[in-house]
Amino acid sequence: MSDSSFDLGEPPQPAKAPSDSGVYRVLARKYRPQTFAELIGQDAMVTTLANAIKRGRLAHAFLLTGVRGVGKTSTARLIAKALNCIGPDGNGGPTIDPCGVCEPCRAIAEGRHIDVIEMDAASHTGVDDVREIIDASRYSAVSARFKIYIIDEVHMLSKNAFNALLKTLEEPPAHVKFLFATTEVNKVPVTVLSRCQRFDLRRIPAEKLAAHFAFVSEAEGVGAEPEALALIARAAEGSARDGLSILDQAIAHAGIEGGGVRAATVRDMLGLSDRGAVRDLFGLVLAGDGQGALAALRRQYDLGVDPQGVLRALLETVHATTLAKLGTAPDLGQAVEEREALAGWAASLSFASLHRLWQLLLKGHEEVARAALPIEACEMVLLRLIHASTLPDPGELARMIANGAPPAAPSVASPARAAGTPVEASLPASFTSLIGMLDDKGEHALAAQLTNSARLVRYAPPELVLSSSRPLPVDLVRTLTTELKRITGRIWRVSAEDVLGEPTLREQREAEQLAERAAILETPVVKAAFAAFPEAELESWTGQRSTA
């Protein structure tokens, strides 16, 4: 393939490295990229190198930096192959698309080329090690076009070793190229950085990692759920090597249980919190249900989920809700239930509330990280969130203070109120009556929220339990508790539980209307009328129309 036909979008292929006599090779080694086309997520760097090779503008030293597992050492080896490839016919020159079949390409891939020297700076830190490189660099390459030194974790070299390398690094012989790789570029002296062409390898996006893992799973003959691969990609944090190691472990686990790599297995293996459980917990926190939230947390803890992992998942939920409120396009990898929940929370939560939740969770995450009792500290964080949800918005509180709003003066219309004791009213006999009472007392917005959003679990006044299986309007439980006490003079126990509950009153009314309309359409007279007049319409008492 010529340089002009190089395609960064080609699917990755398994490495062509030699077999190890039947010994199992882990996926991170087996699928190490052997061409630049197989290098994932580093398109900008590959394009720069391709242009430099085409125009003959090759630097004498390259510094490759980035987090673990993004391909620094693999890229260094690919550069070595690109510079020393001679093509299948033995007459080729440097190319961004090394053939992989000539002797230099195969020898470099197998790690046996005499002119490509790899050194681990973590175990060769001294000045004597560097002097050996300097002395050897004076001699021409034995069989290759360039003598190449690949120094991994170069930041581990001592100060004297760096100083010894400076002169040779600035004016190396024409036949020598230096390739440095490091995860901590800030520890490399500026004098060295200024003598190198630097490439910052990026974290690999999760969607690209998931696609790569899907290819590897298929090549290995193992089925894998897309959600499982997405979980592995997120856990890898941009590192292909870390992700392949996790996938290797998941495939081994699937070999025991059968059925391929499943999301539930990956969650258990990594100690991740189930997304549905996180949504339930977040809904309980917003509903102000302290007991329910702590119980949900303990269930996750008993399954082996780390308390920090729970708080991190809640942070991700707050962040996703904020993006949804901004109108950001939803992640196609999210489940439908999650997108619906995020949309509901985004509609009911203000930006101020979301920022407050973020700050409290972020502070709580730090506290749990250094706490002597992590699960207890996590419980206190959740209770702090619930308590904070009952506080007024800081801006609203500031306006109240500025306006000097006095507390409502007690009425003297009755001896009971003059004595400071609220008058107890009769409690509504049903949930529907309770909503009607609120509407009669002027709480129209609260009555509408209960009608449209509240799913009843239990009504035993003065106890009211609502379902949190779907997101409830923010502060609904707290507001309802306050208003019912004000209106009835009784202390109500309003809470939310993670159960399905009854349909909302609005859903019940709509179901009744549909049933009534269906019954009318089934009467003999109406059937005969529609048979005689197919274009006729039935107009119900609600003003809606139905056609046959």
Side-chain angles (χ1 to χ4, degrees), residues 396-419:
E396 179 184 351
L397 184 60
R399 286 191 295 270
M400 292 171 60
I401 295 174
N403 295 333
S411 171
V412 294
S414 68
R417 286 193 179 272

Side-chain angles (χ1 to χ4, degrees), residues 25-225:
R25 295 166 65 235
V26 296
L27 298 181
R29 290 186 58 202
K30 186 176 181 180
Y31 292 91
R32 171 171 279 171
Q34 297 298 307
T35 66
F36 283 104
E38 298 173 16
L39 196 62
I40 307 171
Q42 312 301 338
D43 297 354
M45 181 200 68
V46 174
T47 301
T48 302
L49 283 174
N51 292 335
I53 291 174
K54 289 177 184 178
R55 297 169 183 171
R57 302 179 64 87
L58 289 170
H60 58 272
F62 297 89
L63 178 69
L64 306 171
T65 180
V67 299
R68 68 194 184 282
V70 293
K72 298 182 296 298
T73 306
S74 295
T75 300
R77 293 173 182 170
L78 291 176
I79 293 175
K81 290 169 66 174
L83 298 183
N84 285 325
C85 178
I86 59 176
D89 58 358
N91 297 319
T95 173
I96 195 64
D97 186 28
C99 66
V101 297
C102 66
E103 176 57 24
C105 283
R106 289 189 289 109
I108 294 172
E110 297 168 8
R112 57 177 175 82
H113 201 293
I114 192 172
D115 292 320
V116 178
I117 301 96
E118 292 192 33
M119 186 183 90
D120 178 19
S123 55
H124 299 81
T125 62
V127 65
D128 292 336
D129 299 305
V130 172
R131 281 175 180 159
E132 291 182 9
I133 295 176
I134 295 172
D135 293 339
S137 67
R138 299 192 183 108
Y139 302 100
S140 299
V142 176
S143 61
R145 185 178 296 111
F146 294 103
K147 178 178 284 189
I148 295 177
Y149 291 94
I150 299 175
I151 303 180
D152 201 8
E153 300 300 336
V154 69
H155 67 274
M156 299 291 287
L157 290 178
S158 66
K159 181 178 180 181
N160 290 336
F162 274 123
N163 290 335
L165 186 61
L166 285 179
K167 186 61 177 177
T168 303
L169 185 61
E170 185 172 14
E171 299 177 0
H175 60 272
V176 173
K177 301 291 183 185
F178 288 98
L179 304 177
F180 301 140
T182 178
T183 54
E184 300 184 50
V185 69
N186 58 302
K187 294 184 179 180
V188 179
V190 177
T191 51
V192 173
L193 292 176
S194 63
R195 290 167 168 83
C196 300
Q197 189 172 97
R198 173 173 168 176
F199 290 103
D200 290 80
L201 276 68
R202 303 175 180 179
R203 291 182 184 269
I204 305 173
E207 58 272 15
K208 289 191 176 183
L209 283 178
H212 181 57
F213 299 156
F215 164 77
V216 171
S217 299
E218 183 179 354
E220 292 292 307
V222 178
E225 294 179 349

Side-chain angles (χ1 to χ4, degrees), residues 247-481:
L247 180 60
D248 221 340
Q249 183 181 354
I251 291 175
H253 201 288
I256 297 174
E257 296 191 349
V261 179
R262 300 187 178 278
T265 302
V266 173
R267 287 193 190 95
D268 292 342
M269 188 179 72
L270 298 177
L272 297 176
S273 183
D274 179 72
R275 299 303 302 174
V278 171
R279 292 195 300 272
D280 294 341
L281 177 57
F282 191 61
L284 291 168
V285 169
L286 293 181
D289 187 354
Q291 291 184 351
L294 295 188
L297 172 63
R298 283 288 178 173
R299 285 195 295 270
Q300 290 295 294
Y301 183 69
D302 292 341
L303 291 173
V305 179
D306 182 67
Q308 269 189 282
V310 174
L311 293 182
R312 178 171 179 172
L314 290 174
L315 280 166
E316 292 174 349
T317 302
V318 173
H319 179 256
T321 303
T322 307
L323 293 182
K325 191 170 184 67
L326 284 171
T328 305
D331 183 0
L332 297 180
Q334 291 175 339
V336 176
E337 296 83 0
E338 185 161 1
R339 290 201 295 269
E340 290 178 351
L342 292 175
W345 290 324
S348 60
L349 289 169
S350 65
F351 280 113
S353 299
L354 288 168
H355 294 328
R356 190 192 312 175
L357 286 169
W358 175 265
Q359 293 297 331
L360 290 170
L361 282 169
L362 195 62
K363 187 174 187 300
H365 186 274
E366 296 173 356
E367 292 177 357
V368 172
R370 58 177 183 268
L373 302 171
I375 182 62
E376 286 80 2
C378 188
E379 289 178 338
M380 296 304 293
V381 171
L382 294 184
L383 293 176
R384 188 190 308 160
L385 287 176
I386 293 171
H387 173 70
S389 68
T390 65
L391 299 177
D393 181 82
E396 179 184 351
L397 184 60
R399 286 191 295 270
M400 292 171 60
I401 295 174
N403 295 333
S411 171
V412 294
S414 68
R417 286 193 179 272
T421 304
V423 176
E424 294 188 1
S426 59
L427 301 182
S430 65
F431 184 51
T432 305
S433 301
L434 180 140
I435 295 177
M437 179 191 71
L438 290 171
D439 201 30
D440 292 340
K441 296 295 183 180
E443 296 296 331
H444 307 301
L446 187 56
Q449 286 181 334
L450 292 176
T451 300
N452 298 327
S453 304
R455 293 173 171 265
L456 181 65
V457 175
R458 184 168 62 257
Y459 183 76
E463 181 185 13
L464 173 61
V465 182
L466 303 176
S467 169
S468 62
S469 60
R470 288 187 182 178
L472 292 170
V474 64
D475 293 341
L476 175 62
V477 171
R478 178 179 62 85
T479 304
L480 186 57
T481 303

